[in-house]
Amino acid sequence: MTAAQPAKTAKPWYREPWPWILMAGPFVAMIGCFVTIYFAFTNFSNQPIQEGVVKRGLVIEQAASSANP
């Protein structure tokens, strides 16, 4: 007969590499989404929507033009 081998103790889930590897993809996608939303609001929030119309925040207003008296 052979000597009994000691029982292998299971590590907690946070000590295993696979949960972290599997969570890394969605986490990177969330960071990319937040960066995209940040750039969209900071760089392009006052862009014209149509000819002669400007959106500032939630307000859409007619842009002042020099052609109209």
Side-chain angles (χ1 to χ4, degrees), residues 28-39:
V28 170
M30 287 174 33
I31 297 299
C33 180
F34 292 137
V35 168
T36 302
I37 291 171
Y38 171 76
F39 283 142

Side-chain angles (χ1 to χ4, degrees), residues 7-66:
K8 185 178 179 184
T9 57
K11 291 191 270 184
W13 71 269
Y14 53 86
R15 299 266 179 163
E16 296 287 339
W18 286 110
W20 299 108
I21 292 170
L22 293 174
M23 285 187 282
F27 182 71
V28 170
M30 287 174 33
I31 297 299
C33 180
F34 292 137
V35 168
T36 302
I37 291 171
Y38 171 76
F39 283 142
F41 278 107
T42 58
N43 295 337
F44 304 107
S45 61
N46 292 332
Q47 295 294 319
I49 299 170
Q50 298 173 358
E51 184 68 32
V53 178
V54 177
K55 179 180 178 185
R56 291 188 178 94
L58 296 176
V59 177
I60 299 174
E61 54 190 41
Q62 194 73 23
S65 65
S66 59

